[in-house]
Amino acid sequence: MICCLNPNCKQPLNPPGRKVCQNCGSKLEPLLRNRYRVIKPIGQGGFGRTYLAADRDMLNASCVIKQFSVQSQGTQSQEKAIELFNKEAYRLHELGVHPQIPTLLAYFEQDKRLYLVQQFIEGQNLYQELVQQGVFGEEKIREVLRDILPVLKFVHERQVIHRDITPTNIIRRKNDRRLVLIDFGIAKQITESTASLPGTKIGTEGYAPLEQLRNGQVFPASDIYSLGATCIYLMTKEKPDSLYNPLNGQWIWRDYLRKKGSDVSDNLTQILDKMLKDWVNERYQSADLVWQDLNVVGWQTATPKNPTSAKPSTATPPPTSARQPAPNPGVSGSLNINKTPVATPVAPGRSIRRPITPPPVSRQPNSNSAKRIWRCINTLNGHTSWVMAVAISANKQVIASGGLDDQIKVWSSQTGELLHNLSGHTKAVNSLTISPDSLILVSGSDDEKIKLWNLHTATLMQTLTEHSRDVNAVAISPDGQILVSGGDDRTIKLWRLKNGLPIRTLFASAGMIKAIAIDPKGDLIATGGLDNQIKLWKLATGELVNTLYGHFNSVYAVAFSPDGGMLASASKDKTVKLWNTQTGELIRTFSGHTGYVNGVQISPDGQTLVSASSDKTIRIWRLETGELLSTLSEHTSAVNALAMSVDGQLIVSASSDKTVKIWQGFG
């Protein structure tokens, strides 16, 4: 069957082979974005539909696709919706590291509709479990609270409020019976731009507290209220609103249970009643406080008048999963309160030039990169969306950056002045590299094209079009003769740089290519991608030399040491690994980042390794020992790419905060 993606289509399923929908006449797409086979609708809302789909590039693994239609809105509203969509998608990307929150797999725009692809959680939601197994008793309610409170703790520490906790948004995962919190509300965020209109409400009646329904204000205590209302429903199978007496402002759910011949402890009653207080400041202010009262020793007989003042003899904090990173309150979210100082706003295309103040250390004649202290000396502003790629010329004169705004910007590395704005790609720019003679800039894009630009004249020289999917990585050989590219079509292509003629194609059938590097001697190509592996190829012949195994998730970046004897690889598994390129042996693992590692470089003197992460930091490590030397944390969102000057004096970083930063090493 082929599924129609028109959200208004009444009968979206069509027989195989049809080009247009037999019901509404819309054009049918056999594969969404040439990758996802939509199987059937599984949900409907004012924003669009939710579909069950199969991911062709991941062995037809099941996934969930959420569709958000912005076609009916005006141009300004569409732009606002897309901006909110990008922001909320990044929020889900960060939250998805928790094992009880679905992982964000992809997001994109197609045919004026926004799509978000998430991990499919197999199992029943708590409403379905209630219907099949009957009402929940006290022990089962306590299990629900113990499983969900740590998730809320994780979410709230990242300044995010879920805003729609209901029995249908909590799924008991089939394989391990853990509860998973779903639906973090991109649709609600998009429609919130019109929340000032009369009658607009964000949240589910009966589960959303008054402050949320009246004016859209939300707090961690708002989610705690919704979780309490969910527990009431699971115990009674009655709408929470029907168990509240508005005459005296009291909940009567326990009286209802007693009339039905069941009851719960005073401890649980007081906990739920406090979670459900009308006034925000009378509720629990954090998931930790609920957890403490839930785990009071001897709760079966104890009936404290004030649960928050009770001091349990075993104060057990909410458990932390092995996959869960340490709390990081600055991670972007809809209610992000970032503690990083915010730079003074400047006009697009302008930069903030900071005085270069060397740290109080003396220069040593034999100083090396391991002794340097790094300072951000310039912030380049001008991109209107996430910056995904950056490169610095060998002569250190120019920096190039590109990102989700489809633009390439060329800057003076000395002054931060915007020299050129290169337009030509029709989709996001994923990768940039500059030829050794500093004359040619090469860009790879989601539009499936590679473009060669003259850096001096800022003109397009050539467009290469042999890739059939997104181009994610480009690299140029040390002699400036060969260009290597890789992408979502799972191929690595070699080209003559001077004329753009193809040389050969290498196939990496196991996964899409995300990273490419060429060793300084021009002998080896290293590639990494979604198969979690690093492959080493002979540049001259295309022969596969070795495959390196060790990462537990996608490989996002690779970099050779100056002598080519070692290779560093950065991964979605939050680590950097260092390999011996001759033997394939794993030398060491650099651990410490709390987010995906997106970029890696090894200094020209071979002393240090630099990594960039979604945790908003850049880390400098001693290559020989793995010791962490320093952490650079001035970006306010994920750091997506790195470049280092040939003398090792400058680091350039690209970030989802829409900026490029230039860092200089002193000492």
Side-chain angles (χ1 to χ4, degrees):
M1 302 291 283
I2 300 179
C3 189
C4 177
L5 295 177
N6 176 4
N8 300 313
C9 183
K10 304 297 183 184
Q11 298 177 337
L13 296 181
N14 289 264
R18 287 194 64 89
K19 303 296 183 183
V20 296
C21 178
Q22 61 187 1
N23 178 61
C24 68
S26 298
K27 181 182 177 182
L28 295 176
E29 297 284 351
L31 289 175
L32 182 61
R33 216 189 189 201
N34 199 31
R35 173 172 178 175
Y36 304 102
R37 180 174 60 86
V38 179
I39 298 171
K40 63 180 180 180
I42 55 176
Q44 178 81 38
F47 59 87
R49 278 188 171 137
T50 301
Y51 300 92
L52 177 65
D55 186 347
R56 188 189 68 168
D57 288 344
M58 295 297 287
L59 302 176
N60 286 317
S62 295
C63 58
V64 172
I65 296 180
K66 294 187 177 183
Q67 174 199 68
F68 309 98
S69 179
V70 295
Q71 289 176 312
S72 59
Q73 304 179 39
T75 302
Q76 188 171 0
S77 296
Q78 287 183 24
E79 292 176 355
K80 180 63 175 177
I82 292 172
E83 178 185 346
L84 286 168
F85 178 79
N86 287 336
K87 178 180 177 182
E88 293 308 306
Y90 179 68
R91 180 178 69 169
L92 287 187
H93 171 75
E94 292 291 342
L95 294 179
V97 300
H98 193 284
Q100 290 169 265
I101 297 174
T103 302
L104 176 67
L105 302 176
Y107 66 97
F108 52 88
E109 178 187 359
Q110 184 168 312
D111 299 328
K112 296 185 178 179
R113 296 189 181 104
L114 306 173
Y115 292 93
L116 178 149
V117 185
Q118 279 185 293
Q119 174 190 15
F120 173 69
I121 305 298
E122 185 178 3
Q124 290 186 324
N125 63 44
L126 293 187
Y127 171 76
Q128 294 168 323
E129 191 171 303
L130 173 70
V131 171
Q132 289 193 7
Q133 301 179 20
V135 294
F136 289 31
E138 176 160 357
E139 265 312 316
K140 199 167 182 181
I141 289 296
R142 287 178 174 272
E143 289 172 4
V144 169
L145 289 171
R146 289 191 182 105
D147 223 2
I148 292 298
L149 285 171
V151 184
L152 284 187
K153 172 182 168 67
F154 172 83
V155 170
H156 293 162
E157 282 175 340
R158 281 144 184 81
Q159 312 303 320
V160 174
I161 311 297
H162 184 283
R163 303 190 310 160
D164 199 16
I165 297 175
T166 67
T168 58
N169 283 337
I170 302 175
I171 294 177
R172 192 178 300 280
R173 189 163 46 205
K174 184 177 180 179
N175 64 350
D176 62 2
R177 307 295 293 165
R178 298 297 300 277
L179 296 181
V180 178
L181 186 58
I182 66 169
D183 193 6
F184 276 76
I186 285 188
K188 295 191 292 292
Q189 286 292 337
I190 292 175
T191 56
E192 192 177 32
S193 61
T194 59
S196 59
L197 298 176
T200 302
K201 296 178 181 179
I202 309 298
T204 302
E205 282 195 59
Y207 298 93
L210 289 175
E211 71 272 8
Q212 186 172 333
L213 293 175
R214 283 175 176 165
N215 56 21
Q217 286 188 295
V218 287
F219 311 89
S222 305
D223 279 348
I224 289 172
Y225 179 100
S226 298
L227 179 57
T230 294
C231 291
I232 297 301
Y233 179 77
L234 295 173
M235 287 192 295
T236 64
K237 207 176 181 180
E238 294 289 331
K239 292 182 179 179
D241 282 353
S242 68
L243 301 173
Y244 181 81
N245 186 344
L247 294 177
N248 58 17
Q250 298 293 320
W251 286 93
I252 57 174
W253 60 270
R254 193 178 187 187
D255 294 335
Y256 176 88
L257 284 179
R258 285 170 171 168
K259 289 178 183 179
K260 293 290 185 179
S262 62
D263 199 2
V264 297
S265 68
D266 290 345
N267 173 263
L268 183 60
T269 299
Q270 292 177 34
I271 290 171
L272 292 176
D273 281 349
K274 185 165 183 176
M275 293 173 73
L276 291 163
K277 290 289 186 182
D278 287 340
W279 295 96
V280 175
N281 61 1
E282 291 183 353
R283 289 180 218 140
Y284 291 103
Q285 299 301 300
S286 72
D288 266 341
L289 294 175
V290 186
W291 181 271
Q292 289 174 18
D293 284 354
L294 188 68
N295 290 279
V296 170
V297 173
W299 60 262
Q300 292 89 343
T301 56
T303 55
K305 293 182 179 180
N306 183 2
T308 58
S309 64
K311 295 183 179 180
S313 59
T314 56
T316 308
T320 302
S321 164
R323 278 183 54 196
Q324 181 175 330
N328 182 2
V331 175
S332 295
S334 62
L335 299 174
N336 186 26
I337 304 172
N338 201 300
K339 296 183 180 179
T340 305
V342 178
T344 305
V346 295
R350 301 293 299 277
S351 64
I352 302 172
R353 185 68 180 177
R354 304 183 182 184
I356 302 176
T357 306
V361 294
S362 59
R363 288 181 178 271
Q364 301 295 329
N366 61 344
S367 64
N368 57 37
S369 64
K371 297 180 180 180
R372 292 188 188 122
I373 295 178
W374 294 88
R375 296 284 186 267
C376 179
I377 61 170
N378 216 334
T379 298
L380 311 181
N381 293 270
H383 282 285
T384 58
S385 191
W386 299 0
V387 190
M388 304 302 293
V390 70
I392 183 169
S393 62
N395 60 14
K396 287 180 60 176
Q397 296 302 303
V398 299
I399 292 167
S401 59
L404 299 190
D405 56 7
D406 311 343
Q407 301 293 308
I408 300 169
K409 296 184 182 295
V410 180
W411 317 79
S412 166
S413 61
Q414 302 301 312
T415 66
E417 177 189 0
L418 180 62
L419 303 175
H420 307 295
N421 196 71
L422 308 181
S423 300
H425 284 296
T426 58
K427 291 185 179 179
V429 177
N430 300 318
S431 184
L432 296 168
T433 188
I434 298 175
S435 60
D437 59 9
S438 302
L439 296 177
I440 299 174
L441 171 67
V442 180
S443 56
S445 166
D446 277 356
D447 63 12
E448 305 172 5
K449 296 179 176 61
I450 300 167
K451 291 185 180 291
L452 279 59
W453 311 82
N454 185 308
L455 266 179
H456 286 275
T457 62
T459 56
L460 178 64
M461 301 167 56
Q462 199 165 2
T463 299
L464 312 181
T465 59
E466 286 203 10
H467 279 288
S468 59
R469 298 283 298 278
D470 306 358
V471 181
N472 299 317
V474 290
I476 297 174
S477 61
D479 62 6
Q481 298 298 309
I482 297 175
L483 167 67
V484 183
S485 61
D488 282 3
D489 60 6
R490 309 185 187 194
T491 67
I492 302 106
K493 294 185 180 292
L494 279 67
W495 319 75
R496 295 287 178 196
L497 186 62
K498 65 178 181 181
N499 54 25
L501 292 178
I503 301 172
R504 67 175 57 87
T505 298
L506 313 178
F507 295 93
S509 57
M512 293 180 283
I513 304 300
K514 293 294 182 182
I516 290 176
I518 303 173
D519 85 307
K521 298 177 182 178
D523 295 332
L524 293 176
I525 304 170
T527 62
L530 298 194
D531 58 3
N532 310 346
Q533 304 168 11
I534 301 105
K535 295 184 183 296
L536 299 177
W537 316 75
K538 284 188 177 179
L539 179 65
T541 64
E543 175 190 354
L544 179 61
V545 178
N546 207 344
T547 300
L548 311 181
Y549 303 91
H551 282 295
F552 298 104
N553 215 320
S554 305
V555 177
Y556 285 162
V558 288
F560 282 98
S561 62
D563 62 2
M566 293 182 288
L567 177 77
S569 57
S571 171
K572 189 178 178 180
D573 66 12
K574 306 177 189 176
T575 70
V576 175
K577 293 185 181 295
L578 189 66
W579 311 84
N580 183 311
T581 57
Q582 298 302 311
T583 65
E585 175 190 3
L586 176 62
I587 300 172
R588 70 180 48 87
T589 298
F590 300 79
S591 300
H593 280 295
T594 59
Y596 307 157
V597 188
N598 303 315
V600 67
Q601 292 286 325
I602 295 177
S603 62
D605 64 4
Q607 299 295 310
T608 56
L609 179 144
V610 186
S611 58
S613 170
S614 294
D615 64 12
K616 304 187 294 185
T617 70
I618 300 162
R619 298 193 176 209
I620 317 293
W621 314 79
R622 190 183 300 274
L623 190 71
E624 185 178 4
T625 64
E627 173 193 359
L628 178 62
L629 299 173
S630 59
T631 300
L632 314 181
S633 54
E634 290 196 29
H635 278 295
T636 59
S637 195
V639 187
N640 301 316
L642 283 177
M644 182 174 267
S645 61
V646 293
D647 61 4
Q649 295 288 335
L650 296 180
I651 296 172
V652 186
S653 55
S655 171
S656 294
D657 63 14
K658 305 179 186 179
T659 71
V660 174
K661 289 184 181 291
I662 305 174
W663 311 79
Q664 183 166 330
F666 297 96

